[in-house]
Amino acid sequence: MNRGFYTLAENLPLKPGISLLRLEGDSSAFQRPGQFVQIELPGYFLKRPFSVCDWDEGGFSVIVEAAGSGTRELLALPSGTALLVHTGLGNGFTPPDSLGLGEDLLLIGVGTGLSPMAGLARRYPEAKVLLAFRRLEDAFGQELFAGHEVCVTEDLLSPLVAIPHRFFCACGSESAMRAVALHDRAGGQIAFDVRMGCGFGACMGGSKKTVHGYARVCREGPVFEKEELLWED
Amino acid sequence: MGRLTTSLCGITLDNPVIPASGCFGYGYEYADLFDINCLGTFSFKGTTLHPRYGNALPRIAEAPSGMLNAVGLQNPGVDAVIREELPKLRTVFTKPVIANVSGFSIEEYREVCARLDAQPQVGWLEVNISCPNVHGGGMSFGTDPAMAAAVTKAVREVTTKPVIVKLSPNVTDIVSIARSCEDAGADAVALINTLLAMRIDLKTRRPVLANTTGGLSGPAVFPVALRMVWQVSQAVEIPVIGIGGISTAENVIEMLLAGASCVEIGAANLRDPWVCQHIIADLPDVMDRYGFSTVKDIIGGAHHA
Ligand SMILES: Cc1cc2nc3c(=O)[nH]c(=O)nc-3n(C[C@H](O)[C@H](O)[C@H](O)COP(=O)(O)OP(=O)(O)OC[C@H]3O[C@@H](n4cnc5c(N)ncnc54)[C@H](O)[C@@H]3O)c2cc1C
Ligand SMILES: Cc1cc2nc3c(=O)[nH]c(=O)nc-3n(C[C@H](O)[C@H](O)[C@H](O)COP(=O)(O)O)c2cc1C
Ligand code: FES
């Protein structure tokens, strides 16, 4: 984990209430899509966790949806605002090397869970993409997957069967990820959000049962192997 | 002796800054970020006889200037702590550590303390009779002076290490509880644990926490904690550890003035993992600014000014 100040450089609306934010600053802690950052917001005690969408030498991007007061205020901040950010948190997606350019890889993003899929898509030019939304009119972000075969749907489950793939990477709400884990026959990796305290492993704020015992979503996760998660609760 | 030195039940602390239980894990997450040997000591996660998963999620909610938690004592159980966590801790922390103990019966407190008593790394046993997030244990022992005394006495019998009893603020008269712990043989009291609290989600119209209620901590509780430390330190002879809402060197000095011999810092570490290191570095300058030459001169200063 690293900590630093980042400059909000760009707010690119993807649809009303959802933007791609670019933050400029040290990007040395980023290793893989699926890792997350915690952004401190003025006036709030807890930082807000967001998946990293992508990064380069000059900074990184996140996709933020106005879900409550903190995210609403974040989206309204003017460019140039300095934000304190914890970076390089959690473990990212690690599809097996045998996937090559990704022709057998399916990237599944549910809602803002599409954010780390955009970073993965750049690394796997042949990967197929499934973007699921509660309703089709909620859809956004297709432009982040230019050059890929993209399926946009409000029915998450049927495309899992219809699109051939050997491995998947999925990110979204816990309930959507549970459905993916239980329906997709391929192996895969899954990331989801839970409410967090510290985000770096010290408070046991968000733990998940796995076959290896209890795992902290912020530290052992947020990306888990499909096979290691236990969904009984 | 440095100017920051203080002592806790006969053991010297290089400084009065101690990360609080549940907010510092077993130290290693922080050891990756700074040399945790700069701390006075720290209190590790609440330990029970058997492994506990803790409460369902969500366990965390936000509050103005603070947070609620209902973790519910997730821990691997005392035997795994002794077998796995303490040996790992030894590689990054060379000072005696505070073992924080919880239980659901007097017998459990006694058993866990007996096993931790045999660990040379453990300097103190901190008996948590104030966890608001478990049912049938925890806080139910800390809200009744007779029960608090019974736990203290049972633990006292199985250890030669100093026994710190950690008190709940969720009582009408914290002074009487502190007195009964002292009478039952406690070597120190630590206060406060979290304040019972809750939040409701406007979208779902349901409590945010799966456990419905949780414990409030962070800067929001500092004045409450300070008041209780002030009252208790006047009423008992044993040392008082001041806990609750501390996040700056100024807060530390204020808590010492109220009568604390040292302080524990919880939620502030979750927000800023380097906060204790920075507070220790800031203390000398802030002491200079207010005219204190040593930490020992500060303790209880507000009572005889
Ligand atoms: C690992 C991870 C990755 C995430 N990635 C993204 C992303 O890429 N894009 C995005 O828009 N959102 C993402 N989220 C969810 C995002 O963190 C929440 O929407 C945000 O914290 C809400 O803050 P608020 O102040 O607007 O809402 P409020 O409801 O006012 O927040 C109150 C408290 O609850 C927490 N909280 C509320 N909803 C969530 C939630 N769904 N998950 C976790 N904590 C929550 C907040 O952090 C805050 O502490 C992610 C969450 C996690 C844990
Ligand atoms: C996430 C979390 C977990 C906690 N777990 C424990 C615990 O296991 N045992 C204990 O005695 N206190 C526990 N506490 C209470 C703290 O040690 C401390 O008494 C309280 O939070 C007040 O201090 P603060 O305002 O500095 O956080 C916990 C607090 C938090 C925030
Ligand atoms: S959020 Fe604190 S341990 Fe994961």
Side-chain angles (χ1 to χ4, degrees):
Chain A
M1 168 184 142
N2 280 2
R3 173 175 66 172
F5 279 98
Y6 290 77
T7 307
L8 182 59
E10 196 184 5
N11 175 329
L12 178 76
L14 299 175
K15 67 173 284 164
I18 302 181
S19 289
L20 181 79
L21 302 184
R22 176 164 169 85
L23 287 99
E24 289 182 344
D26 172 33
S27 58
S28 61
F30 300 105
Q31 286 154 342
R32 286 190 198 92
Q35 287 184 298
F36 66 101
V37 296
Q38 287 243 84
I39 302 184
E40 187 164 308
L41 298 176
Y44 292 94
F45 188 75
L46 296 175
K47 295 182 178 57
R48 281 0 185 210
F50 300 99
S51 300
V52 178
C53 177
D54 213 343
W55 66 92
D56 55 33
E57 304 81 71
F60 68 97
S61 57
V62 287
I63 293 176
V64 176
E65 174 174 22
S69 55
T71 44
R72 259 200 312 276
E73 288 168 28
L74 175 58
L75 288 176
L77 292 174
S79 359
T81 306
L83 291 164
L84 185 68
V85 185
H86 289 176
T87 59
L89 299 168
N91 295 302
F93 289 100
T94 51
D97 291 341
S98 62
L99 288 171
L101 297 177
E103 56 270 49
D104 290 324
L105 175 63
L106 179 62
L107 303 177
I108 307 168
V110 179
T112 52
L114 66 79
S115 173
M117 297 308 140
L120 280 173
R122 199 165 62 78
R123 290 161 180 78
Y124 294 93
E126 313 257 289
K128 288 163 228 157
V129 179
L130 172 59
L131 303 181
F133 301 91
R134 200 161 297 139
R135 298 167 310 167
L136 274 181
E137 56 266 38
D138 296 335
F140 68 94
Q142 296 93 312
E143 65 271 33
L144 302 171
F145 299 91
H148 290 264
E149 191 184 308
V150 181
C151 166
V152 178
T153 179
E154 54 184 9
D155 162 27
L156 170 62
L157 298 183
S158 345
L160 293 180
V161 184
I163 305 175
H165 60 283
R166 248 186 334 116
F167 198 84
F168 68 82
C169 294
C171 181
S173 67
E174 201 178 335
S175 55
M177 292 305 103
R178 179 194 170 102
V180 170
L182 298 179
H183 282 84
D184 202 306
R185 299 274 195 75
Q189 294 180 327
I190 291 177
F192 48 84
D193 23 297
V194 300
R195 292 200 182 220
M196 290 185 173
C198 63
F200 54 83
C203 72
M204 304 298 155
S207 294
K208 195 74 202 151
K209 288 184 191 172
T210 74
V211 295
H212 317 295
Y214 303 118
R216 294 163 295 184
V217 173
C218 66
R219 190 88 177 182
E220 283 77 44
V223 175
F224 293 96
E225 300 291 337
K226 179 183 105 172
E227 286 77 20
E228 80 185 319
L229 288 166
L230 296 173
W231 295 101
E232 85 261 335
D233 53 12
Chain B
M1 289 269 164
R3 60 189 296 214
L4 300 187
T5 306
T6 183
S7 78
L8 180 58
C9 310
I11 303 175
T12 300
L13 302 177
D14 293 336
N15 63 67
V17 176
I18 306 173
S21 180
C23 301
F24 214 72
Y26 297 94
Y28 348 112
E29 284 74 25
Y30 293 87
D32 286 345
L33 304 175
F34 65 94
D35 180 3
I36 63 173
N37 290 296
C38 73
L39 302 167
T41 177
F42 76 91
S43 178
F44 64 60
K45 178 64 192 170
T47 302
T48 51
L49 189 56
H50 302 292
R52 281 180 58 81
Y53 170 57
N55 292 322
L57 305 184
R59 299 173 174 179
I60 301 286
E62 201 175 39
S65 296
M67 62 179 284
L68 280 66
N69 90 84
V71 169
L73 296 173
Q74 177 175 348
N75 80 95
V78 65
D79 292 333
V81 167
I82 291 170
R83 199 175 55 240
E84 283 152 35
E85 310 294 347
L86 289 181
K88 250 199 309 181
L89 175 61
R90 201 177 299 134
T91 65
V92 292
F93 190 62
T94 55
K95 297 180 175 182
V97 68
I98 301 179
N100 186 277
V101 174
S102 250
F104 293 81
S105 66
I106 289 181
E107 211 27 64
E108 181 176 358
Y109 279 106
R110 189 207 296 268
E111 188 56 41
V112 177
C113 286
R115 293 186 199 181
L116 289 166
D117 176 69
Q119 299 305 311
Q121 265 171 291
V122 171
W124 308 260
L125 293 169
E126 183 176 61
V127 183
N128 174 11
I129 54 167
S130 44
C131 182
N133 298 326
V134 294
H135 301 280
M139 196 172 83
S140 52
F141 293 102
T143 51
D144 170 20
M147 287 292 277
V151 175
T152 309
K153 191 162 164 291
V155 168
R156 179 72 287 162
E157 286 166 6
V158 296
T159 182
T160 53
K161 297 195 197 279
V163 172
I164 302 164
V165 182
K166 185 161 173 182
L167 305 182
S168 171
N170 303 306
V171 294
T172 41
D173 181 11
I174 196 166
V175 168
S176 65
I177 311 249
R179 281 209 184 101
S180 31
C181 294
E182 178 177 40
D183 293 344
D187 299 293
V189 284
L191 55 135
I192 57 177
N193 207 312
T194 55
L195 283 149
L196 199 56
M198 77 179 281
R199 298 302 305 270
I200 293 172
D201 186 325
L202 298 187
K203 279 183 269 179
T204 62
R205 307 177 185 186
R206 298 287 309 145
V208 171
L209 297 169
N211 189 50
T212 306
T213 59
L216 173 67
S217 63
V221 309
F222 179 72
V224 177
L226 188 82
R227 182 267 295 177
M228 290 184 164
V229 166
W230 166 269
Q231 291 175 319
V232 167
S233 63
Q234 272 176 316
V236 299
E237 300 294 323
I238 52 179
V240 174
I241 304 178
I243 320 174
I246 296 169
S247 53
T248 63
E250 283 82 353
N251 293 159
V252 173
I253 293 176
E254 202 173 332
M255 198 56 105
L256 298 177
L257 282 170
S261 297
C262 53
V263 302
E264 289 185 22
I265 300 179
N269 295 287
L270 306 180
R271 181 179 157 80
D272 172 4
W274 290 273
V275 70
C276 286
Q277 188 192 29
H278 289 153
I279 287 175
I280 294 164
D282 288 348
L283 265 172
D285 282 351
V286 180
M287 285 163 62
D288 286 346
R289 189 177 318 141
Y290 294 98
F292 297 108
S293 52
T294 69
V295 159
K296 286 192 169 149
D297 292 341
I298 310 176
I299 298 168
H303 291 283
H304 27 78

